[in-house]
Amino acid sequence: MLNIAVLVSGGGSNLQALIDAKTRGELPRGRLALVVSSKARAYALKRAEAAGIQTAVLRPADYPSSEHYAEALTALLTEAKTDLIVLAGFLVVLPKSFTQRFAGRIINVHPSLIPSFCGPGYYGLRVHQAALDYGVKLTGATVHYVTEVVDGGRIILQKGVEVHPDDTPETLQRRVMEEAEWVILPKAVALLCDKFTNTEGELP
Ligand code: GAR
């Protein structure tokens, strides 16, 4: 069984999608072992507690630098014997030392079809506002590996979602979550758990 750590900053609906997938038996080789939040009041923490998952809060403001923050995070992840790190609405940019250390074992879900509407500054509703401003008729979500380039790692799964003429950033965000993020994130995690298990624990 692989230990999965989920990093969150907000509502945690993607974390919930993982919890629900686990409950339905769709993550047979993975265990949701730890949830780390960058915000003390993130609703995601309540979801984790309700599911009996160990939680921790690590706030960037409590550390003098991004490197120090990443060191504390690494200590928590190592303590929990983490095999796979899932960024699910985690709004902290992690330094290169961290992404290199866990290369191939960190993934992120992003609410657009990368390479559109991604990179520094594109998060949450801003992504959907940008898609509406541009007038795209199709958007979606992407699960990708995390590297030092924000939203720049190799793509694992993507799913397209139609934009409706009367969409607001909020309605579009909701449709992208329901139709794409909550579908492809658990699927990508299951795929990686299979991949890692088949190599008998040897991670790339
Ligand atoms: C999700 O839409 C996720 O894709 C996005 O934040 C939301 C978090 O929602 N992440 C980014 O924009 C990262 N660039 P959640 O807390 O309900 O899962």
Side-chain angles (χ1 to χ4, degrees):
M1 195 65 84
L2 295 173
N3 286 324
I4 302 164
V6 186
L7 276 48
V8 297
S9 298
S13 70
N14 280 289
L15 165 67
Q16 190 66 51
L18 292 170
I19 294 169
D20 294 346
K22 180 67 196 167
T23 306
R24 289 194 302 266
E26 291 167 13
L27 286 178
R29 295 165 195 251
R31 188 173 82 90
L32 295 167
L34 175 67
V35 168
V36 182
S37 174
S38 66
K39 292 186 183 159
R41 271 176 283 167
Y43 186 67
L45 288 168
K46 298 248 184 310
R47 296 181 190 269
E49 282 157 18
I53 304 168
Q54 186 194 330
T55 61
V57 174
L58 223 52
R59 299 186 318 156
D62 294 335
Y63 296 87
S65 73
S66 150
E67 291 290 342
H68 286 88
Y69 183 81
E71 269 172 38
L73 181 56
T74 300
L76 272 180
L77 295 169
T78 307
E79 172 74 29
K81 300 191 185 340
T82 304
D83 297 302
L84 176 63
I85 303 163
V86 179
L87 309 192
F90 186 64
L91 298 181
V92 180
V93 176
L94 295 161
K96 186 173 178 180
S97 56
F98 184 91
T99 57
Q100 280 189 339
R101 179 182 183 129
F102 294 104
R105 292 195 281 155
I106 324 179
I107 64 171
N108 177 50
V109 60
H110 182 77
S112 74
L113 293 174
I114 289 176
S116 290
F117 314 119
C118 63
Y122 284 101
Y123 58 88
L125 283 173
R126 292 170 183 229
V127 178
H128 303 292
Q129 182 69 63
L132 291 175
D133 289 348
Y134 208 96
V136 293
K137 305 304 175 219
L138 186 72
T139 184
T142 304
V143 177
H144 62 93
Y145 287 104
V146 174
T147 66
E148 70 268 23
V149 180
V150 176
D151 298 328
R154 199 162 58 80
I155 290 170
I156 302 166
L157 289 177
Q158 278 188 315
K159 192 165 187 282
V161 174
E162 265 183 31
V163 179
H164 295 177
D166 57 349
D167 265 331
T168 62
E170 288 79 10
T171 60
L172 186 56
Q173 178 183 53
R174 180 75 196 179
R175 189 172 326 106
V176 168
M177 283 178 161
E178 278 177 5
E179 293 183 11
E181 297 186 51
W182 301 343
V183 178
I184 62 172
L185 184 62
K187 210 181 258 183
V189 170
L191 280 173
L192 285 185
C193 286
D194 285 351
K195 177 178 155 188
F196 293 160
T197 309
N198 290 340
T199 57
E200 291 171 350
E202 264 187 50
L203 298 166

